[in-house]
C-alpha cells in the first residue's frame, strides 16, 4: 500500500491507502473522491481526470505523453503541474504523493 | 433474435442475420429511421467487429463497432485524420465548408481554443440562470389537455433559445438557427437526397446574416459569445476573410449544439415512457437527474457515427486498413457493447458509471459543448418535475432519416400538471 493525498477544491484532505499498480484515477474513483469524472475510464482520451500535482512531486510522477498534452490543452484550468490522473501509476516511490483537484472537470 | 417478422413485413429492410457478411452494409439511412440498426450492429459486433463493406452508396468503408476499438481510433488522430470529411459520405469539393471538427492539428487546436471559453464550465453558472428562466417559460406555456408534438414545442424551442444565447443572436430571428441547422444536416453525405444547390443558397443566406453580426461584434468590445470570441481572437480574427471557413465554423456551432441536444430532450420523454419503472424511480428521487442525463445521452447516441480517413496503412485487429480508406466509428454500436456496458439495451437511469459512454466522442475532437448539453437536460428535467406529474407519450414517435443524426421529428405527448 502507498499513501496518497487528494485535496479537493473545498480544501478537504482525503488520505488514501492505494494499491500499487493502480492508476491514481482508479484510486480516486474507488474511494469516491469528489471531482474526478474519468469519462473514458482511463484511456487518456477525455481529460476529465485532471489533477494538479504538488510541485515537489512533479519529477517523481513522470512526464506527460504527447497525447496527454493534447488532452490537457482543452481543459479550462490547465497549469504547468496539471496531469491526467489515469496516467499516473501508483508505486512505492510515490508514498505521500499529494495532488489537488480542479474546480471542475471539462 | 428480436421480432424476426418485423424486418420483412413492416419494412423493406432485410433481417441482418440473413445477409452475407461480405456485402453487409449498415450505411442505409432507412435502417436507422426504422430503428432497426440495433440488430445490424449486434451482428457486426458479434461476427465482424472490424468490418469492411466493399460497396455502398458512399463507396467502400470500414465499420468499427466495439467500444474500445472506437476509442482507439478516435484517440489516434495522427493516423486517422478528420481532415475535410467526418461523416460517411464525402462532400463535393466545391461545397466543402472547413470547420475545426473537420481539421487536424495544429489548425484544429487554434480554432477550438478560440471559442471554447464560451462553453467552459466556469462560464456555465451564468448561463444556467438564463436557461432555467427560459425553460420555465417554455414549460409554463405548454397546452394542457391536448396532444402536441414535444419536439416542436419543447426540444426544438429550448435548444434554439440556448443557441441564440450562446451566439447572442437576435432573439426575434432565432427560428433561423434550427432552419439553417436542418438545411446543413440534410445532405447527400448522410444518405438523404436533396437539391444540393438550393441547400447551398440557404447556407449563403446564413453566411450573409452572420457576416453582418461579425462586423457589429468586431466593432464592439469583446464579449462572451461565439461570434465576438472569433472576431476578437488573436488567431481567428481574419476568419471573416475566408467566408467558407467562417460558414463552416458557424454550421459546426449551430449543428453541434442543435440536433444533438434537441434529440436528447426528445429521447428522455420517449425512453421514460417506454420504461415506466424508470419514470417512477425519477419521480421518487430527483437527485437521479444528473445520472439520468448521462444515460439518456448514451442510450440515444445523438450522433450515430463519426468518420476518419486513414493517413497511412494501419494494422488493426488483424486487418489492414489502407491509406485513404474511410473508417467509420459507430458510436451508436459502441454504446451497446455488451463487453463494456452491462445490460446495454436497457435504459436504467441510476446505472453505474453512466458517464462511461461514447456519445461525445473521445480524443482531441471530443465534444466541446458536452457540459452545456448536459446542463440543459438537467435543468429541463428539474423544472419538469416541479410542474408535471407526467409527460405522457400518446403514440409511437417518428424517427428522422439519417445514418448520422439519431433523432425524432415527432413525439406526440400530453402533459399532466401537478
Ligand atoms: C447531447 C449533446 C451533444 C452530443 C451527443 C454531442 C456529440 C458530439 C460528438 C460525437 C462530437 C465529435 C467527437 C469526436 O469526433 O470524437 C462533437 C464535437 C463537437 N461538439 Fe458536440 N455534442 C453535443 C452537444 C454540443 C453542444 C451543446 C455544442 C455547442 C454549443 C457542441 C459543440 C461541439 C463542437 C464545437 C464539436 C467539435 C469539437 C472538435 O472537433 O474539437 N456539442 N459533439
Ligand atoms: S480518465 Fe479519461 S483521460 Fe483520464
Amino acid at each position: 500500500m502507498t499513501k496518497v493525498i487528494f485535496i479537493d477544491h473545498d480544501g478537504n484532505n482525503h488520505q488514501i491507502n492505494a494499491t500499487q499498480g493502480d492508476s491514481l484515477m482508479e484510486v480516486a474513483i474507488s474511494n469516491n473522491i469528489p471531482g474526478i469524472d474519468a469519462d473514458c475510464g482511463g484511456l487518456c482520451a477525455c481529460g476529465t481526470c485532471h489533477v494538479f500535482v504538488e510541485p515537489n512531486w512533479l519529477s517523481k510522477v513522470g512526464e506527460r505523453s504527447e497525447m496527454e498534452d493534447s488532452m490537457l490543452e482543452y481543459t479550462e484550468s490547465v497549469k504547468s503541474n496539471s496531469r491526467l490522473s489515469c496516467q499516473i501509476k501508483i508505486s512505492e516511490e510515490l508514498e505521500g504523493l499529494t495532488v489537488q483537484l480542479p474546480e471542475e472537470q471539462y | 433474435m428480436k421480432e424476426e417478422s418485423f424486418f420483412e413485413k413492416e419494412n423493406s429492410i432485410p433481417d441482418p442475420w440473413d445477409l452475407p457478411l461480405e456485402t453487409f452494409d449498415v450505411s442505409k439511412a432507412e435502417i436507422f429511421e426504422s430503428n432497426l440498426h440495433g440488430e445490424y450492429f449486434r451482428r457486426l459486433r458479434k461476427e465482424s467487429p472490424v468490418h469492411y463493406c466493399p460497396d455502398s452508396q458512399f463507396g467502400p468503408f470500414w465499420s468499427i463497432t466495439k467500444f474500445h476499438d472506437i476509442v482507439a481510433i478516435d484517440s489516434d488522430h495522427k493516423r486517422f485524420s478528420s481532415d475535410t470529411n467526418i461523416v460517411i459520405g464525402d462532400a463535393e469539393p466545391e461545397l466543402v465548408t472547413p470547420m475545426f471538427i473537420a481539421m487536424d492539428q495544429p489548425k484544429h487546436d487554434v480554432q477550438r481554443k478560440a471559442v471554447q471559453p464560451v462553453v467552459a464550465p466556469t462560464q456555465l453558472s451564468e448561463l444556467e440562470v438564463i436557461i432555467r428562466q427560459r425553460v420555465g417559460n417554455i414549460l409554463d406555456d405548454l397546452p394542457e389537455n391536448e396532444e402536441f408534438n414535444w419536439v416542436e414545442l419543447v426540444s426544438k424551442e429550448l435548444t434554439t433559445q440556448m443557441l441564440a444565447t450562446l451566439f447572442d443572436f437576435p432573439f426575434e430571428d432565432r427560428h433561423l438557427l434550427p432552419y439553417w441547422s436542418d438545411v446543413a444536416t440534410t445532405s447527400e453525405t448522410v444518405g438523404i437526397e436533396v437539391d444540393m444547390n438550393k441547400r447551398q443558397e440557404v447556407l449563403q443566406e446564413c453566411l450573409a446574416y452572420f457576416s453582418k453580426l461579425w462586423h457589429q461584434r468586431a466593432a464592439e468590445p469583446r464579449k462572451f459569445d461565439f461570434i465576438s470570441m472569433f472576431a476578437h481572437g488573436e488567431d481567428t480574427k481574419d476568419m471573416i476573410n475566408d467566408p467558407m471557413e467562417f460558414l463552416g465554423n458557424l454550421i459546426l456551432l449551430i449543428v453541434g449544439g442543435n440536433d444533438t441536444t434537441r434529440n436528447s430532450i426528445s429521447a428522455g420523454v420517449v425512453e421514460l415512457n417506454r420504461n415506466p419503472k424508470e419514470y417512477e424511480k425519477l419521480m421518487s428521487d430527483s437527485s437521479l437527474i444528473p445520472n439520468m442525463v448521462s444515460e439518456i445521452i448514451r442510450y440515444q447516441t445523438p450522433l450515430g457515427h463519426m468518420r476518419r480517413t486513414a493517413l497511412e496503412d494501419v494494422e488493426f485487429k488483424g486487418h489492414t486498413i489502407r491509406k485513404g480508406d474511410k473508417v467509420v466509428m459507430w458510436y451508436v454500436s459502441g454504446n451497446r457493447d455488451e463487453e463494456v456496458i452491462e445490460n446495454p439495451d436497457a435504459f436504467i437511469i441510476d446505472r453505474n458509471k453512466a458517464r462511461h459512454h461514447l456519445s461525445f466522442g473521445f480524443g482531441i475532437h471530443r465534444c466541446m459543448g458536452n457540459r452545456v448539453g448536459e446542463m440543459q437536460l438537467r435543468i429541463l428535467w428539474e423544472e419538469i418535475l416541479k410542474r408535471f406529474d407526467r409527460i405522457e407519450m400518446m403514440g409511437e414517435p417518428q424517427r428522422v432519416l439519417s445514418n448520422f443524426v439519431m433523432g425524432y421529428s415527432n413525439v406526440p405527448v400530453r402533459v399532466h400538471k401537478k
Side-chain angles (χ1 to χ4, degrees), chain A residues 25 38-49 84 86:
Chain A
M25 177 279 281
D39 292 359
C40 76
L43 301 165
C44 197
C46 71
T48 66
C49 62
L84 293 177
C86 68

Side-chain angles (χ1 to χ4, degrees), chain B residues 1-4 7 15 17-18 39 42:
Chain B
M1 209 186 309
K2 209 178 90 186
E3 300 163 53
E4 194 177 0
F7 285 94
D15 185 332
W17 299 90
D18 295 340
E39 212 52 27
R42 194 188 316 281

Side-chain angles (χ1 to χ4, degrees), chain A residues 29 37-48 66-67 70-71 73-76 103-106, chain B residues 68 71 75 77-78 105 108-109 112-113 116 119-122 355-357 362-364 366 368 370-371:
Chain A
I29 294 288
D37 288 337
D39 292 359
C40 76
L43 301 165
C44 197
C46 71
T48 66
E66 208 182 319
M67 183 63 190
S70 287
M71 291 315 299
E73 257 189 279
Y74 308 119
T75 58
E76 197 180 9
E103 184 176 3
E104 310 251 14
Q105 297 289 346
Y106 186 29
Chain B
H68 286 127
V71 181
S75 315
H77 53 269
K78 292 241 155 66
Q105 290 176 322
H108 160 268
D109 298 15
R112 172 162 173 155
K113 270 189 239 156
Q116 180 158 315
V119 286
T122 44
R355 300 192 60 84
H356 191 43
H357 63 67
F362 281 119
I364 63 167
R366 180 173 164 83
M368 188 184 92
N370 59 355
R371 300 288 168 183

Side-chain angles (χ1 to χ4, degrees), chain B residues 294-301 335 341 344 346 351 357 359:
Chain B
S294 291
E295 176 68 349
I296 291 173
I297 294 171
R298 174 192 77 91
Y299 204 80
Q300 183 63 17
T301 316
N335 274 340
I341 297 167
R351 175 183 286 284
H357 63 67
S359 299

Side-chain angles (χ1 to χ4, degrees), chain A:
Chain A
M1 288 300 205
T2 301
K3 187 179 79 187
V4 296
I5 298 155
F6 295 89
I7 305 174
D8 67 27
H9 194 71
D10 297 329
N12 305 314
N13 276 29
H14 305 260
Q15 189 171 318
I16 309 286
N17 285 322
T19 310
Q20 286 161 16
D22 279 3
S23 75
L24 187 61
M25 177 279 281
E26 289 164 323
V27 174
I29 294 288
S30 53
N31 289 283
N32 296 319
I33 304 294
I36 299 273
D37 288 337
D39 292 359
C40 76
L43 301 165
C44 197
C46 71
T48 66
C49 62
H50 180 195
V51 297
F52 303 112
V53 175
E54 293 282 283
N56 51 328
W57 285 99
L58 264 181
S59 58
K60 298 215 180 70
V61 295
E63 300 264 300
R64 295 180 195 161
S65 67
E66 208 182 319
M67 183 63 190
E68 189 178 341
D69 260 333
S70 287
M71 291 315 299
L72 275 169
E73 257 189 279
Y74 308 119
T75 58
E76 197 180 9
S77 49
V78 61
K79 292 195 249 174
S80 58
N81 62 336
S82 289
R83 288 298 309 266
L84 293 177
S85 57
C86 68
Q87 301 303 302
I88 297 175
K89 270 243 173 333
I90 302 297
S91 64
E92 234 169 289
E93 293 86 77
L94 296 185
E95 173 71 26
L97 170 67
T98 307
V99 301
Q100 295 209 10
L101 296 166
E103 184 176 3
E104 310 251 14
Q105 297 289 346
Y106 186 29

